[in-house]
Each structure stands twice: as C-alpha cells, then as structure tokens.
Coordinates of all heavy atoms in Angstrom, one line a residue:
A68 N 118.4 103.5 80.1 CA 118.1 102.1 80.4 C 117.6 102.1 81.9 O 118.0 102.9 82.7 CB 119.4 101.3 80.3
P69 N 116.8 101.1 82.2 CA 116.3 101.0 83.6 C 117.4 100.6 84.5 O 118.2 99.7 84.2 CB 115.2 100.0 83.5 CG 115.5 99.2 82.3 CD 116.1 100.1 81.3
I70 N 117.4 101.2 85.7 CA 118.4 100.8 86.8 C 117.6 100.2 87.9 O 116.7 100.9 88.5 CB 119.2 102.0 87.2 CG1 119.9 102.7 86.1 CG2 120.2 101.6 88.3 CD1 120.6 103.9 86.5
I71 N 117.8 99.0 88.2 CA 117.1 98.3 89.3 C 117.9 98.4 90.6 O 119.1 98.1 90.7 CB 116.9 96.8 88.9 CG1 116.3 96.7 87.5 CG2 116.0 96.1 89.9 CD1 115.1 97.4 87.3
F72 N 117.2 98.8 91.6 CA 117.8 99.1 92.9 C 117.8 97.8 93.8 O 116.8 97.4 94.3 CB 117.0 100.2 93.6 CG 117.7 100.8 94.8 CD1 118.7 101.8 94.6 CD2 117.4 100.5 96.1 CE1 119.4 102.4 95.6 CE2 118.0 101.1 97.2 CZ 119.0 102.0 96.9
G73 N 119.0 97.2 93.8 CA 119.1 96.0 94.6 C 120.0 96.2 95.9 O 120.8 95.3 96.2
V74 N 119.8 97.3 96.5 CA 120.6 97.6 97.7 C 119.7 97.4 99.0 O 118.6 97.9 99.1 CB 121.0 99.1 97.7 CG1 121.8 99.5 98.9 CG2 121.8 99.4 96.4
L75 N 120.2 96.5 99.8 CA 119.6 96.3 101.1 C 120.0 97.4 102.1 O 121.2 97.7 102.2 CB 120.0 94.9 101.7 CG 119.6 93.7 100.9 CD1 120.0 92.4 101.7 CD2 118.1 93.6 100.7
T76 N 119.0 97.9 102.8 CA 119.3 98.9 103.9 C 118.6 98.3 105.1 O 117.4 98.5 105.3 CB 118.8 100.3 103.5 OG1 117.4 100.2 103.2 CG2 119.5 100.8 102.3
T77 N 119.4 97.8 106.0 CA 118.8 97.0 107.1 C 119.3 97.5 108.5 O 120.3 98.2 108.6 CB 119.1 95.5 107.0 OG1 120.5 95.3 107.1 CG2 118.6 95.0 105.7
E78 N 118.5 97.2 109.5 CA 118.9 97.6 110.9 C 120.0 96.7 111.5 O 120.7 97.2 112.3 CB 117.6 97.5 111.8 CG 116.5 98.5 111.4 CD 117.0 99.9 111.7 OE1 117.7 100.2 112.7 OE2 116.6 100.8 110.9
N79 N 120.1 95.5 111.0 CA 121.1 94.6 111.5 C 121.5 93.6 110.5 O 120.8 93.4 109.4 CB 120.6 93.9 112.8 CG 119.3 93.3 112.7 OD1 119.1 92.3 111.8 ND2 118.3 93.7 113.4
E80 N 122.5 92.8 110.8 CA 123.0 91.8 109.8 C 122.0 90.7 109.6 O 121.8 90.2 108.4 CB 124.3 91.2 110.3 CG 124.9 90.2 109.4 CD 126.2 89.6 109.9 OE1 126.3 89.4 111.1 OE2 127.1 89.3 109.1
Q81 N 121.2 90.3 110.6 CA 120.3 89.2 110.4 C 119.2 89.6 109.4 O 118.8 88.7 108.6 CB 119.6 88.8 111.7 CG 118.8 87.6 111.7 CD 119.5 86.3 111.2 OE1 120.6 86.1 111.8 NE2 119.0 85.6 110.2
Q82 N 118.7 90.8 109.4 CA 117.8 91.2 108.4 C 118.3 91.1 107.0 O 117.6 90.7 106.1 CB 117.3 92.7 108.7 CG 116.5 92.8 109.9 CD 116.0 94.3 110.2 OE1 116.5 95.2 109.5 NE2 115.1 94.5 111.1
A83 N 119.6 91.4 106.9 CA 120.2 91.3 105.6 C 120.3 89.9 105.1 O 120.0 89.5 104.0 CB 121.6 92.0 105.6
L84 N 120.8 89.0 106.0 CA 120.9 87.6 105.7 C 119.5 87.0 105.3 O 119.4 86.2 104.4 CB 121.4 86.8 106.9 CG 122.9 87.1 107.3 CD1 123.2 86.5 108.7 CD2 123.8 86.5 106.2
D85 N 118.5 87.4 106.0 CA 117.2 86.9 105.7 C 116.7 87.2 104.3 O 115.9 86.5 103.7 CB 116.1 87.5 106.7 CG 116.2 86.9 108.1 OD1 116.9 85.8 108.2 OD2 115.7 87.5 109.0
R86 N 117.3 88.3 103.7 CA 116.9 88.8 102.4 C 117.9 88.5 101.3 O 117.8 88.9 100.2 CB 116.6 90.3 102.5 CG 115.4 90.7 103.3 CD 115.4 92.1 103.8 NE 114.2 92.4 104.5 CZ 113.9 92.1 105.7 NH1 114.8 91.4 106.5 NH2 112.8 92.4 106.3
A87 N 118.9 87.7 101.7 CA 120.0 87.3 100.7 C 120.1 85.8 100.6 O 121.1 85.2 100.6 CB 121.3 87.9 101.2
G88 N 118.9 85.2 100.5 CA 118.8 83.7 100.4 C 118.4 83.1 101.6 O 118.3 81.8 101.7
G89 N 117.9 83.9 102.6 CA 117.5 83.3 103.9 C 116.0 83.2 103.9 O 115.3 82.9 102.9
A90 N 115.4 83.4 105.1 CA 114.0 83.2 105.4 C 113.1 84.0 104.5 O 111.9 83.6 104.2 CB 113.7 83.4 106.8
L91 N 113.5 85.2 104.0 CA 112.7 86.1 103.3 C 113.0 86.1 101.8 O 112.7 87.1 101.1 CB 112.7 87.5 103.9 CG 112.2 87.6 105.3 CD1 112.3 89.0 105.9 CD2 110.8 87.1 105.4
G92 N 113.7 85.1 101.3 CA 114.1 85.0 99.9 C 115.4 85.7 99.6 O 116.2 85.9 100.4
N93 N 115.5 86.0 98.3 CA 116.7 86.7 97.8 C 116.4 87.9 97.0 O 115.8 87.8 95.9 CB 117.5 85.7 97.0 CG 118.9 86.1 96.6 OD1 119.1 87.2 96.1 ND2 119.9 85.3 97.0
K94 N 116.7 89.1 97.5 CA 116.4 90.3 96.8 C 117.2 90.5 95.5 O 116.8 91.2 94.6 CB 116.6 91.5 97.8 CG 115.7 91.5 99.0 CD 114.2 91.5 98.6 CE 113.3 91.5 99.8 NZ 111.9 91.4 99.5
G95 N 118.3 89.8 95.4 CA 119.0 89.8 94.2 C 118.3 89.1 93.1 O 118.2 89.6 91.9
A96 N 117.6 88.0 93.4 CA 116.8 87.3 92.4 C 115.6 88.2 92.0 O 115.3 88.3 90.8 CB 116.3 86.0 93.0
E97 N 115.0 88.9 93.0 CA 113.9 89.8 92.7 C 114.4 90.9 91.8 O 113.6 91.4 90.9 CB 113.3 90.3 93.9 CG 112.6 89.3 94.8 CD 112.0 89.8 96.1 OE1 111.9 91.1 96.2 OE2 111.7 89.0 97.0
A98 N 115.6 91.4 92.0 CA 116.1 92.5 91.1 C 116.3 92.0 89.7 O 116.0 92.8 88.8 CB 117.4 93.0 91.7
A99 N 116.8 90.8 89.5 CA 116.9 90.2 88.2 C 115.6 90.1 87.5 O 115.5 90.4 86.3 CB 117.6 88.9 88.2
E100 N 114.6 89.6 88.2 CA 113.3 89.5 87.6 C 112.7 90.9 87.2 O 112.1 91.1 86.1 CB 112.3 88.8 88.6 CG 112.6 87.4 88.8 CD 111.7 86.7 89.8 OE1 110.9 87.4 90.4 OE2 111.8 85.5 89.9
A101 N 113.0 91.9 88.0 CA 112.5 93.3 87.7 C 113.3 93.8 86.5 O 112.7 94.5 85.7 CB 112.8 94.2 88.9
A102 N 114.6 93.4 86.4 CA 115.4 93.9 85.2 C 114.8 93.3 83.9 O 114.7 94.0 82.9 CB 116.8 93.5 85.4
I103 N 114.4 92.1 84.0 CA 113.8 91.4 82.8 C 112.5 92.1 82.4 O 112.2 92.4 81.2 CB 113.6 89.9 83.0 CG1 115.0 89.2 83.1 CG2 112.8 89.3 81.9 CD1 114.9 87.8 83.6
K104 N 111.7 92.4 83.4 CA 110.4 93.0 83.2 C 110.5 94.4 82.6 O 109.8 94.9 81.7 CB 109.5 93.0 84.4 CG 109.1 91.6 84.9 CD 108.3 91.7 86.2 CE 107.8 90.3 86.6 NZ 107.1 90.3 87.9
M105 N 111.5 95.1 83.2 CA 111.7 96.5 82.7 C 112.3 96.6 81.4 O 112.1 97.5 80.6 CB 112.6 97.3 83.8 CG 111.8 97.6 85.0 SD 110.3 98.5 84.8 CE 110.9 100.0 84.0
A106 N 113.2 95.6 81.0 CA 113.7 95.5 79.7 C 112.6 95.3 78.7 O 112.6 95.9 77.6 CB 114.8 94.4 79.6
D107 N 111.7 94.5 79.0 CA 110.5 94.2 78.2 C 109.7 95.4 78.1 O 109.1 95.8 77.0 CB 109.7 93.0 78.7 CG 108.5 92.7 77.9 OD1 108.7 92.3 76.8 OD2 107.4 92.9 78.4
F108 N 109.5 96.2 79.2 CA 108.7 97.4 79.2 C 109.3 98.4 78.2 O 108.6 99.1 77.5 CB 108.7 98.0 80.6 CG 108.1 99.4 80.7 CD1 106.7 99.6 80.7 CD2 108.9 100.5 80.7 CE1 106.2 100.9 80.7 CE2 108.4 101.7 80.8 CZ 107.1 102.0 80.8
T109 N 110.7 98.5 78.3 CA 111.4 99.5 77.4 C 111.1 99.1 75.9 O 110.8 100.0 75.1 CB 112.9 99.4 77.7 OG1 113.1 99.8 79.0 CG2 113.6 100.4 76.8
L110 N 111.1 97.9 75.6 CA 110.9 97.5 74.2 C 109.4 97.8 73.8 O 109.2 98.3 72.7 CB 111.1 95.9 74.1 CG 112.5 95.5 74.1 CD1 112.6 93.9 74.1 CD2 113.3 96.0 73.0
S111 N 108.5 97.6 74.7 CA 107.1 97.9 74.4 C 106.9 99.4 74.1 O 106.1 99.8 73.3 CB 106.2 97.4 75.5 OG 106.3 98.2 76.7
I112 N 107.6 100.2 74.9 CA 107.5 101.7 74.7 C 108.2 102.1 73.4 O 107.7 102.9 72.6 CB 108.2 102.4 75.9 CG1 107.4 102.2 77.2 CG2 108.3 103.9 75.6 CD1 105.9 102.6 77.1
E113 N 109.3 101.5 73.1 CA 110.0 101.8 71.8 C 109.3 101.4 70.6 O 109.5 102.0 69.5 CB 111.4 101.2 71.9 CG 112.4 101.8 72.9 CD 113.7 101.1 73.0 OE1 113.8 100.0 72.4 OE2 114.6 101.7 73.6
E114 N 108.3 100.5 70.7 CA 107.5 100.1 69.6 C 106.4 101.1 69.3 O 105.8 101.1 68.3 CB 106.9 98.7 69.8 CG 108.0 97.6 69.8 CD 107.4 96.3 70.3 OE1 106.2 96.3 70.7 OE2 108.1 95.3 70.3
Q115 N 106.2 102.1 70.2 CA 105.2 103.1 70.1 C 105.7 104.3 69.4 O 106.9 104.6 69.5 CB 104.6 103.4 71.5 CG 104.1 102.3 72.2 CD 103.0 101.5 71.5 OE1 102.1 102.1 70.9 NE2 103.1 100.2 71.5

C-alpha cells in the first residue's frame, strides 16, 4: 500500500506552524490528497 510522508522537518517552530494551517497551508491536507491519488493509482495498476 502507498505510504504518504507527512513529516515536517523544519529549522524552527514558525516554519512548522506556517505549514500546519498557517501561511503556507496545511501539509496534512496535502498528504490526504496524495493518499487519495495514490489509492486511485494502485487501483489503475491492479486493473492491468
């Protein structure tokens, strides 16, 4: 199964806050979207 990497690795706390619903969006939301796309990708491969 696909594993989506939703781990922030930042230089400081502000960079993390900015990516957890702050100025630069939410990387958790992006991870969920990637999970949906990769689940769909898996299905498309299994049909081959």
Side-chain angles (χ1 to χ4, degrees):
I70 302 174
I71 310 303
F72 196 77
V74 178
L75 295 181
T76 56
T77 63
E78 293 292 324
N79 53 61
E80 183 181 34
Q81 188 59 50
Q82 289 181 349
L84 291 169
D85 288 343
R86 292 160 176 78
L91 298 178
N93 191 306
K94 296 302 180 181
E97 293 179 15
E100 292 180 352
I103 294 170
K104 291 178 180 179
M105 289 305 297
D107 180 67
F108 170 83
T109 300
L110 290 175
S111 70
I112 294 299
E113 289 176 348
E114 292 170 356
Q115 303 303 314

